[in-house]
Amino acid sequence: MKKSNPWALLPVLVFAVLYLTLGIVFEYVLKIQMGFYNVPIIVVFLIAILVAILQTKGKTLDEKFAIMGRGVGDKNIVTMLFIFLLAGIFVGVVGRSSAESVAYFVLSIVPPKLAVLVLFLVSCFVSTAMGTSVGTITLLTPIAVAVSTASGFALPLCVGTVVGGAMFGDNLSFVSDTTIAACQGQGCAMKDKFRANFAIVLPAAIVTAILILLLSLSTEIAPFEIKPYRLIEIIPYILVLIGGIAGVNVFLTLLIGILSGSVIMLATGAVDVPNLLSGMGKGAAGMFETAMVAVLVSALCELIRENGGFEALLAGIRRVFRGKRAGQLGIGLLVGAMDIATANNTVAIVMANPIASEIAEEYGITKKKTASILDTFSCIFQGFLPYGAQLLVAISAVGTMGYSISAFNIIGNLFYPMMLLLSSLVFIFLIPERKEQ
């Protein structure tokens, strides 16, 4: 067993301070739009790795690279990279136009009083199908604004409902980068993590739906216009969702989604072959930064482990969090702290993965439970960050429609993340755990 060395955690602190400081300066001092996402996260990680290399004493530079290679070459990391690429290609093939079709289809068959509830349900479905909360918010926020202005529902309620529903799918989707990162980092099957997660999110979603319904019924509203829609494009999303829940191999599931999406998009004339191939390339390229972060984090964590940083962190956790249930909360707060520092829930999970694995082994927490906690708590924290991509994109989308809204207006209407936090704590501390078969 390696000797505990708190100083080995210095690279993580360097990364967090540097990234958070630059993000605050970009966002609030220089007034750069989406300032946190203009910080070159890969460069910041390289600086942290340089600190870790300098800390690693008694070894040649080649030996230090060999240590990092040991982390990067882990089977779970390699698998994660390939799944990231396939998920990116899938989104690049099917596009995102079907989201509006789903929304307007459902809005066309329900009473106007239920419009906000429909926004929530559609956001949950679309984000689960697409695997991206930001993409869902980008597509559905204009619809939320239209519903608000035409019907009389409060704008913060409509936008907050979309953001909350988007976090539902971010947490559950089989093609979400957070799900991929959590499952591959912990070495558990996606269907097992999905089932563990679903038991937690379902009560939160039901209570959220009830709250939205109660608010809706007390609001005087007017009917609104329904735009044309086409539903055939959602078939690939449904196939991926069914395959994931059924436990079909994730590579095969994504390939089925890519193939069916390609056939449908070409057959309907939505794209031609050159544009389809271009979409594939752009989708894969869109995953570059996420994949590179996974590589750099695995290299950094291996150096920290070599220098005794994980042992120091575990010693601290043992002193503060005693027992299996407290250990689960420790994992949740760990990934939450990483998310506050990075404003990116996928990066937070990738950073927390190796430490969470050590905590889980120490306290006897199952892999699927650990993956579920990582994904759930990262989404909870991310949803409330005023400088997170989700709220910034929602504010920007509202602005393009000629209206204005603040992050704190939206936060007060994020019923789903609030209920998800409550449900998570109930499942950790009050619900007896079933024995693993």
Side-chain angles (χ1 to χ4, degrees), residues 220-295:
E220 292 295 328
I221 54 94
F224 46 86
E225 179 188 0
I226 301 297
K227 294 183 179 180
Y229 52 83
R230 183 168 58 181
L231 288 178
I232 190 172
E233 293 175 4
I234 72 170
I235 291 175
Y237 294 132
I238 294 174
L239 291 176
V240 168
L241 191 59
I242 292 172
I245 294 173
V248 178
N249 180 277
V250 64
F251 287 101
L252 180 59
T253 299
L254 287 171
L255 287 173
I256 290 172
I258 292 168
L259 179 61
S260 61
S262 299
V263 171
I264 289 171
M265 298 301 282
L266 290 172
T268 58
V271 296
D272 54 22
V273 173
N275 282 325
L276 179 70
L277 295 175
S278 175
M280 289 183 177
K282 289 177 180 177
M287 286 291 187
F288 168 76
E289 184 172 84
T290 302
M292 185 54 65
V293 165
V295 170

Coordinates of all heavy atoms in Angstrom, one line a residue, residues 220-295:
E220 N -54.6 31.2 -15.8 CA -55.5 31.4 -16.9 C -54.7 31.5 -18.2 O -53.7 32.3 -18.3 CB -56.2 32.8 -16.7 CG -57.2 32.8 -15.5 CD -58.4 31.8 -15.8 OE1 -58.7 31.6 -17.0 OE2 -58.9 31.2 -14.8
I221 N -55.0 30.7 -19.2 CA -54.2 30.7 -20.4 C -55.1 30.7 -21.6 O -56.3 30.6 -21.6 CB -53.3 29.4 -20.4 CG1 -54.2 28.1 -20.2 CG2 -52.3 29.4 -19.4 CD1 -54.7 27.5 -21.5
A222 N -54.4 31.0 -22.8 CA -55.1 31.0 -24.1 C -54.5 30.0 -25.0 O -53.4 29.5 -24.8 CB -54.9 32.4 -24.7
P223 N -55.3 29.5 -26.0 CA -54.7 28.5 -27.0 C -53.6 29.1 -27.8 O -53.5 30.3 -27.9 CB -55.9 28.1 -27.8 CG -56.9 29.3 -27.7 CD -56.7 29.9 -26.3
F224 N -52.8 28.3 -28.4 CA -51.6 28.8 -29.2 C -51.5 27.9 -30.4 O -52.0 26.8 -30.6 CB -50.3 28.8 -28.4 CG -50.1 27.5 -27.6 CD1 -49.5 26.4 -28.1 CD2 -50.6 27.4 -26.3 CE1 -49.3 25.2 -27.4 CE2 -50.4 26.2 -25.5 CZ -49.8 25.2 -26.1
E225 N -50.6 28.4 -31.4 CA -50.5 27.8 -32.7 C -49.5 26.6 -32.6 O -48.5 26.6 -31.9 CB -49.8 28.8 -33.6 CG -49.6 28.3 -35.0 CD -48.8 29.3 -35.9 OE1 -48.5 30.4 -35.4 OE2 -48.5 28.9 -37.1
I226 N -49.9 25.5 -33.3 CA -49.1 24.3 -33.4 C -48.5 24.3 -34.8 O -49.2 24.3 -35.9 CB -49.9 23.1 -33.2 CG1 -50.6 23.1 -31.9 CG2 -49.1 21.8 -33.4 CD1 -49.6 23.1 -30.7
K227 N -47.1 24.2 -34.9 CA -46.4 24.2 -36.2 C -46.4 22.8 -36.8 O -46.6 21.8 -36.1 CB -45.0 24.7 -36.0 CG -44.9 26.2 -35.6 CD -43.5 26.6 -35.5 CE -43.4 28.1 -35.1 NZ -42.0 28.6 -35.0
P228 N -46.2 22.7 -38.1 CA -46.1 21.3 -38.7 C -45.0 20.5 -38.1 O -44.0 21.0 -37.6 CB -45.8 21.7 -40.2 CG -46.2 23.1 -40.4 CD -46.0 23.8 -39.1
Y229 N -45.2 19.2 -38.1 CA -44.2 18.3 -37.5 C -44.1 17.0 -38.3 O -45.0 16.6 -39.1 CB -44.5 18.0 -36.1 CG -45.9 17.5 -35.9 CD1 -46.3 16.1 -36.0 CD2 -47.0 18.4 -35.5 CE1 -47.6 15.7 -35.8 CE2 -48.3 17.9 -35.3 CZ -48.5 16.6 -35.4 OH -49.8 16.1 -35.3
R230 N -43.0 16.2 -38.2 CA -42.8 14.9 -38.8 C -42.1 14.0 -37.8 O -41.0 14.3 -37.3 CB -41.8 15.1 -40.0 CG -41.6 13.8 -40.8 CD -40.9 14.1 -42.1 NE -39.7 14.8 -42.0 CZ -38.9 15.2 -43.0 NH1 -39.3 14.9 -44.3 NH2 -37.7 15.7 -42.8
L231 N -42.8 12.8 -37.6 CA -42.4 12.0 -36.4 C -41.4 10.8 -36.8 O -40.8 10.2 -36.0 CB -43.6 11.4 -35.8 CG -44.4 12.3 -34.9 CD1 -45.7 11.6 -34.4 CD2 -43.6 12.9 -33.8
I232 N -41.3 10.5 -38.1 CA -40.5 9.4 -38.5 C -39.1 9.4 -38.1 O -38.4 8.4 -37.8 CB -40.6 9.1 -40.1 CG1 -40.0 7.8 -40.4 CG2 -39.9 10.3 -40.8 CD1 -40.2 7.4 -41.9
E233 N -38.6 10.7 -37.9 CA -37.2 10.8 -37.5 C -36.8 10.4 -36.1 O -35.7 10.3 -35.7 CB -36.7 12.3 -37.8 CG -36.7 12.7 -39.2 CD -36.4 14.2 -39.4 OE1 -36.2 14.9 -38.4 OE2 -36.5 14.6 -40.6
I234 N -37.9 10.2 -35.3 CA -37.6 9.8 -33.9 C -37.4 8.3 -33.8 O -37.0 7.8 -32.7 CB -38.7 10.2 -32.9 CG1 -39.9 9.3 -33.1 CG2 -39.0 11.7 -33.1 CD1 -41.0 9.5 -32.0
I235 N -37.6 7.5 -34.9 CA -37.4 6.0 -34.8 C -36.0 5.6 -34.3 O -35.9 4.7 -33.5 CB -37.8 5.4 -36.1 CG1 -39.3 5.5 -36.4 CG2 -37.3 3.9 -36.2 CD1 -39.7 5.0 -37.8
P236 N -34.9 6.2 -34.9 CA -33.6 5.8 -34.4 C -33.4 6.0 -32.9 O -32.8 5.2 -32.2 CB -32.6 6.7 -35.2 CG -33.4 7.1 -36.4 CD -34.8 7.2 -36.0
Y237 N -34.0 7.2 -32.4 CA -33.8 7.4 -30.9 C -34.5 6.3 -30.1 O -34.0 5.8 -29.1 CB -34.5 8.8 -30.6 CG -33.8 10.0 -31.2 CD1 -34.6 11.0 -31.8 CD2 -32.5 10.2 -31.0 CE1 -34.0 12.1 -32.3 CE2 -31.9 11.3 -31.5 CZ -32.6 12.3 -32.2 OH -32.0 13.4 -32.7
I238 N -35.7 5.9 -30.6 CA -36.5 4.9 -29.9 C -35.8 3.6 -29.9 O -35.7 2.8 -28.9 CB -37.9 4.8 -30.5 CG1 -38.7 6.1 -30.2 CG2 -38.7 3.6 -29.9 CD1 -40.1 6.1 -30.9
L239 N -35.2 3.2 -31.1 CA -34.4 2.0 -31.2 C -33.2 1.9 -30.2 O -33.0 0.9 -29.6 CB -33.9 1.8 -32.6 CG -35.0 1.5 -33.7 CD1 -34.4 1.4 -35.1 CD2 -35.7 0.2 -33.4
V240 N -32.5 3.1 -30.1 CA -31.4 3.1 -29.2 C -31.9 3.0 -27.7 O -31.3 2.3 -26.9 CB -30.6 4.4 -29.4 CG1 -29.6 4.7 -28.2 CG2 -29.9 4.4 -30.7
L241 N -33.0 3.6 -27.4 CA -33.5 3.6 -26.1 C -34.0 2.2 -25.7 O -33.6 1.7 -24.6 CB -34.7 4.5 -26.0 CG -35.3 4.8 -24.6 CD1 -34.2 5.4 -23.7 CD2 -36.5 5.7 -24.7
I242 N -34.7 1.5 -26.6 CA -35.1 0.1 -26.4 C -33.9 -0.8 -26.3 O -33.8 -1.6 -25.4 CB -36.0 -0.3 -27.5 CG1 -37.4 0.4 -27.5 CG2 -36.3 -1.8 -27.4 CD1 -38.3 0.2 -28.7
G243 N -32.9 -0.6 -27.2 CA -31.7 -1.5 -27.1 C -31.0 -1.3 -25.8 O -30.5 -2.3 -25.2
G244 N -30.9 -0.1 -25.4 CA -30.2 0.1 -24.1 C -30.9 -0.5 -22.9 O -30.2 -1.1 -22.1
I245 N -32.2 -0.3 -22.8 CA -32.9 -0.8 -21.7 C -32.9 -2.4 -21.7 O -32.9 -3.0 -20.7 CB -34.4 -0.3 -21.8 CG1 -34.4 1.2 -21.5 CG2 -35.3 -1.0 -20.7 CD1 -35.8 1.8 -21.7
A246 N -33.0 -2.9 -22.9 CA -33.0 -4.4 -23.1 C -31.6 -5.0 -22.8 O -31.5 -6.3 -22.7 CB -33.4 -4.8 -24.5
G247 N -30.6 -4.2 -22.7 CA -29.3 -4.7 -22.4 C -28.5 -5.2 -23.6 O -27.5 -5.9 -23.5
V248 N -28.9 -4.7 -24.8 CA -28.1 -5.0 -26.0 C -26.8 -4.3 -25.9 O -26.7 -3.2 -25.4 CB -28.9 -4.6 -27.3 CG1 -28.1 -4.8 -28.5 CG2 -30.2 -5.3 -27.4
N249 N -25.7 -5.0 -26.4 CA -24.4 -4.4 -26.4 C -24.4 -3.0 -26.9 O -25.0 -2.7 -27.9 CB -23.4 -5.2 -27.2 CG -22.0 -4.7 -27.2 OD1 -21.7 -3.8 -28.0 ND2 -21.2 -5.2 -26.4
V250 N -23.8 -2.0 -26.1 CA -23.9 -0.6 -26.4 C -23.3 -0.3 -27.8 O -23.9 0.6 -28.5 CB -23.2 0.2 -25.3 CG1 -21.7 -0.1 -25.3 CG2 -23.4 1.7 -25.6
F251 N -22.3 -1.0 -28.2 CA -21.7 -0.7 -29.6 C -22.8 -1.1 -30.7 O -23.0 -0.4 -31.6 CB -20.4 -1.5 -29.8 CG -19.3 -1.0 -29.0 CD1 -18.9 -1.6 -27.8 CD2 -18.6 0.1 -29.5 CE1 -17.8 -1.1 -27.1 CE2 -17.5 0.6 -28.8 CZ -17.1 0.0 -27.6
L252 N -23.4 -2.3 -30.5 CA -24.4 -2.8 -31.4 C -25.6 -1.8 -31.4 O -26.1 -1.5 -32.5 CB -24.8 -4.2 -31.1 CG -25.9 -4.8 -32.0 CD1 -25.4 -4.9 -33.4 CD2 -26.2 -6.2 -31.5
T253 N -26.0 -1.4 -30.2 CA -27.1 -0.5 -30.1 C -26.9 0.8 -30.9 O -27.8 1.3 -31.6 CB -27.4 -0.1 -28.6 OG1 -27.7 -1.3 -27.9 CG2 -28.6 0.8 -28.5
L254 N -25.7 1.4 -30.7 CA -25.4 2.6 -31.4 C -25.3 2.4 -32.9 O -25.7 3.3 -33.7 CB -24.1 3.2 -30.8 CG -24.2 3.8 -29.4 CD1 -22.9 4.2 -28.9 CD2 -25.1 5.1 -29.5
L255 N -24.7 1.3 -33.3 CA -24.6 1.0 -34.8 C -26.0 0.9 -35.4 O -26.2 1.3 -36.5 CB -23.8 -0.3 -35.0 CG -22.3 -0.1 -34.7 CD1 -21.6 -1.5 -34.8 CD2 -21.7 0.8 -35.7
I256 N -26.9 0.3 -34.7 CA -28.3 0.2 -35.2 C -28.9 1.6 -35.3 O -29.6 1.9 -36.3 CB -29.2 -0.7 -34.2 CG1 -28.7 -2.2 -34.3 CG2 -30.7 -0.6 -34.5 CD1 -29.4 -3.1 -33.2
G257 N -28.7 2.4 -34.3 CA -29.2 3.8 -34.4 C -28.6 4.5 -35.5 O -29.3 5.3 -36.2
I258 N -27.3 4.4 -35.8 CA -26.6 5.1 -36.9 C -27.2 4.6 -38.2 O -27.5 5.4 -39.1 CB -25.1 4.9 -36.8 CG1 -24.5 5.6 -35.5 CG2 -24.4 5.4 -38.0 CD1 -23.1 5.2 -35.2
L259 N -27.3 3.3 -38.4 CA -27.8 2.7 -39.6 C -29.2 3.1 -39.9 O -29.5 3.6 -41.0 CB -27.6 1.2 -39.6 CG -28.1 0.4 -40.8 CD1 -27.3 0.8 -42.1 CD2 -28.0 -1.1 -40.6
S260 N -30.1 2.9 -38.9 CA -31.5 3.3 -39.1 C -31.7 4.8 -39.4 O -32.5 5.2 -40.2 CB -32.3 2.9 -37.9 OG -31.9 3.5 -36.7
G261 N -30.9 5.6 -38.7 CA -30.9 7.0 -38.9 C -30.5 7.4 -40.3 O -31.1 8.3 -40.9
S262 N -29.4 6.8 -40.7 CA -28.9 7.1 -42.1 C -30.0 6.7 -43.1 O -30.2 7.5 -44.1 CB -27.7 6.3 -42.4 OG -26.6 6.6 -41.4
V263 N -30.6 5.6 -43.0 CA -31.6 5.1 -44.0 C -32.8 6.1 -44.0 O -33.3 6.5 -45.0 CB -32.1 3.7 -43.7 CG1 -33.3 3.3 -44.5 CG2 -31.0 2.7 -43.9
I264 N -33.3 6.5 -42.8 CA -34.5 7.3 -42.7 C -34.2 8.7 -43.2 O -34.9 9.3 -44.0 CB -35.0 7.4 -41.2 CG1 -35.6 6.1 -40.9 CG2 -35.9 8.5 -41.0 CD1 -35.9 5.9 -39.4
M265 N -33.0 9.3 -42.8 CA -32.7 10.6 -43.2 C -32.5 10.7 -44.7 O -32.9 11.7 -45.4 CB -31.4 11.1 -42.5 CG -31.5 11.2 -41.0 SD -32.8 12.3 -40.4 CE -32.0 13.9 -40.6
L266 N -31.9 9.7 -45.4 CA -31.7 9.7 -46.8 C -33.1 9.4 -47.5 O -33.4 10.1 -48.5 CB -30.7 8.6 -47.2 CG -29.3 8.8 -46.8 CD1 -28.4 7.6 -47.1 CD2 -28.7 10.0 -47.6
A267 N -33.9 8.5 -47.0 CA -35.1 8.1 -47.6 C -36.1 9.3 -47.6 O -36.9 9.5 -48.6 CB -35.7 6.9 -47.0
T268 N -36.1 10.1 -46.5 CA -37.0 11.2 -46.4 C -36.5 12.5 -47.1 O -37.3 13.5 -47.2 CB -37.3 11.5 -45.0 OG1 -36.1 11.9 -44.3 CG2 -38.0 10.4 -44.3
G269 N -35.3 12.4 -47.6 CA -34.7 13.6 -48.3 C -34.3 14.7 -47.3 O -34.0 15.8 -47.8
A270 N -34.2 14.3 -46.1 CA -33.7 15.3 -45.1 C -32.3 15.7 -45.3 O -31.9 16.9 -45.1 CB -33.9 14.8 -43.7
V271 N -31.5 14.8 -45.8 CA -30.1 15.0 -46.2 C -29.7 14.2 -47.4 O -30.4 13.3 -47.8 CB -29.1 14.7 -45.0 CG1 -29.3 15.5 -43.8 CG2 -29.2 13.2 -44.7
D272 N -28.6 14.6 -48.1 CA -28.1 13.8 -49.1 C -26.8 13.1 -48.6 O -26.4 13.3 -47.4 CB -27.7 14.6 -50.4 CG -26.8 15.8 -50.0 OD1 -26.1 15.8 -49.0 OD2 -26.8 16.8 -50.8
V273 N -26.2 12.2 -49.4 CA -25.1 11.4 -48.9 C -23.9 12.3 -48.4 O -23.4 12.1 -47.3 CB -24.6 10.5 -50.0 CG1 -23.3 9.7 -49.6 CG2 -25.7 9.4 -50.3
P274 N -23.5 13.3 -49.2 CA -22.4 14.2 -48.7 C -22.6 14.8 -47.4 O -21.8 14.8 -46.5 CB -22.2 15.2 -49.8 CG -22.7 14.5 -51.0 CD -23.9 13.7 -50.6
N275 N -23.9 15.3 -47.2 CA -24.2 16.0 -45.9 C -24.3 15.0 -44.8 O -24.0 15.3 -43.6 CB -25.5 16.8 -46.1 CG -25.3 18.1 -46.8 OD1 -24.3 18.7 -46.6 ND2 -26.3 18.5 -47.6
L276 N -24.8 13.8 -45.1 CA -24.9 12.7 -44.1 C -23.4 12.4 -43.6 O -23.2 12.3 -42.4 CB -25.5 11.5 -44.7 CG -25.6 10.3 -43.7 CD1 -26.6 10.6 -42.6 CD2 -26.0 9.0 -44.5
L277 N -22.5 12.2 -44.5 CA -21.1 11.9 -44.1 C -20.5 13.1 -43.4 O -19.8 12.9 -42.4 CB -20.3 11.5 -45.4 CG -20.7 10.3 -46.1 CD1 -19.9 10.1 -47.4 CD2 -20.6 9.0 -45.2
S278 N -20.8 14.3 -43.8 CA -20.3 15.4 -43.1 C -20.9 15.5 -41.7 O -20.1 15.8 -40.7 CB -20.7 16.7 -43.9 OG -20.4 17.9 -43.2
G279 N -22.1 15.2 -41.5 CA -22.7 15.1 -40.2 C -22.1 14.1 -39.3 O -21.8 14.4 -38.1
M280 N -21.7 12.9 -39.9 CA -21.0 11.9 -39.1 C -19.7 12.5 -38.6 O -19.3 12.3 -37.4 CB -20.8 10.7 -40.0 CG -22.0 9.9 -40.3 SD -21.5 8.4 -41.2 CE -23.1 7.6 -41.4
G281 N -19.0 13.1 -39.5 CA -17.6 13.6 -39.2 C -17.7 14.7 -38.1 O -17.0 14.7 -37.1
K282 N -18.7 15.6 -38.2 CA -18.9 16.7 -37.3 C -19.3 16.1 -35.9 O -18.9 16.6 -34.9 CB -19.9 17.7 -37.8 CG -19.5 18.5 -38.9 CD -20.5 19.5 -39.4 CE -20.0 20.3 -40.6 NZ -21.1 21.2 -41.2
G283 N -20.2 15.1 -35.9 CA -20.6 14.5 -34.7 C -19.4 13.8 -33.9 O -19.3 14.0 -32.7
A284 N -18.6 13.1 -34.7 CA -17.4 12.5 -34.1 C -16.4 13.6 -33.6 O -15.9 13.5 -32.4 CB -16.7 11.6 -35.1
A285 N -16.2 14.6 -34.4 CA -15.3 15.7 -34.0 C -15.8 16.4 -32.8 O -15.1 16.9 -31.9 CB -15.2 16.7 -35.1
G286 N -17.2 16.5 -32.6 CA -17.8 17.2 -31.5 C -17.4 16.5 -30.1 O -17.6 17.1 -29.1
M287 N -17.0 15.2 -30.2 CA -16.6 14.5 -29.0 C -15.1 14.6 -28.7 O -14.6 14.0 -27.8 CB -17.0 13.0 -29.2 CG -18.5 12.8 -29.0 SD -19.1 13.0 -27.4 CE -20.8 12.5 -27.5
F288 N -14.4 15.3 -29.5 CA -12.9 15.4 -29.4 C -12.5 15.8 -28.0 O -11.7 15.2 -27.3 CB -12.3 16.3 -30.5 CG -10.8 16.6 -30.2 CD1 -9.9 15.6 -30.4 CD2 -10.5 17.8 -29.7 CE1 -8.5 15.9 -30.2 CE2 -9.1 18.1 -29.4 CZ -8.2 17.1 -29.6
E289 N -13.0 17.0 -27.6 CA -12.6 17.5 -26.3 C -13.0 16.6 -25.1 O -12.1 16.4 -24.2 CB -13.2 18.9 -26.1 CG -12.7 19.6 -24.8 CD -13.2 21.0 -24.7 OE1 -14.3 21.2 -24.2 OE2 -12.4 21.9 -25.1
T290 N -14.2 16.0 -25.2 CA -14.6 15.1 -24.1 C -13.6 13.9 -24.1 O -13.2 13.5 -23.0 CB -16.0 14.7 -24.3 OG1 -16.9 15.8 -24.4 CG2 -16.5 13.7 -23.2
A291 N -13.3 13.4 -25.2 CA -12.4 12.2 -25.3 C -11.0 12.5 -24.8 O -10.4 11.8 -24.1 CB -12.4 11.6 -26.7
M292 N -10.5 13.7 -25.2 CA -9.2 14.1 -24.8 C -9.1 14.4 -23.3 O -8.1 14.1 -22.7 CB -8.8 15.4 -25.6 CG -7.3 15.8 -25.3 SD -6.1 14.5 -25.6 CE -6.3 14.3 -27.4
V293 N -10.2 15.0 -22.8 CA -10.2 15.2 -21.3 C -10.2 13.8 -20.6 O -9.5 13.7 -19.6 CB -11.5 15.9 -20.9 CG1 -11.8 15.8 -19.4 CG2 -11.4 17.4 -21.3
A294 N -10.9 12.8 -21.1 CA -10.8 11.5 -20.5 C -9.4 10.9 -20.5 O -9.0 10.3 -19.5 CB -11.8 10.5 -21.2
V295 N -8.7 11.1 -21.6 CA -7.3 10.6 -21.7 C -6.4 11.4 -20.7 O -5.6 10.8 -19.9 CB -6.8 10.8 -23.1 CG1 -5.3 10.6 -23.2 CG2 -7.5 9.9 -24.1

